[in-house]
Amino acid sequence: MLLDLLLGFAADAVVTGAQSRRVTKVLRIVLAVLIALFMLTLGGFMLLCAVAIDGGIAVRLVCGGLAALCLGYLVFFIRAVWRKMR
């Protein structure tokens, strides 16, 4: 439970830091790349689970939906970071 709380704070700090103008540009790019890699990995893993799992159509749809949510969040995150960089 404590680890979940600490990881939540760390993830929130990384996302906020990547979108903040107070952080240097190089550090913002590094933080954005970390979040992008994490979301791409998570979305790809969920998509792989949707293809490889043998649990029926409902489980595949749930895994595919989670993959779409991860990749959709990634698009909006990159868009927000890009706008803050200008």
Side-chain angles (χ1 to χ4, degrees):
M1 179 132 167
L2 181 63
L3 184 63
D4 182 40
L5 182 67
L6 291 175
L7 286 175
F9 284 145
D12 187 42
V14 170
V15 170
T16 304
Q19 295 176 353
S20 175
R21 289 186 185 257
R22 293 181 183 174
V23 178
T24 62
K25 192 172 188 175
V26 174
L27 187 57
R28 281 189 284 174
I29 291 171
V30 169
L31 293 173
V33 166
L34 283 174
I35 291 293
L37 285 175
F38 176 73
M39 293 307 284
L40 277 173
T41 304
L42 188 62
F45 180 70
M46 292 307 294
L47 194 59
L48 180 68
C49 285
V51 171
I53 201 163
D54 190 30
I57 191 71
V59 177
R60 287 183 182 201
L61 286 176
V62 168
C63 288
L66 288 173
L69 285 174
C70 287
L71 298 176
Y73 174 78
L74 180 64
V75 169
F76 286 110
F77 172 75
I78 295 294
R79 183 174 162 231
V81 169
W82 183 261
R83 283 188 175 182
K84 299 282 180 158
M85 289 284 186
R86 289 182 173 198

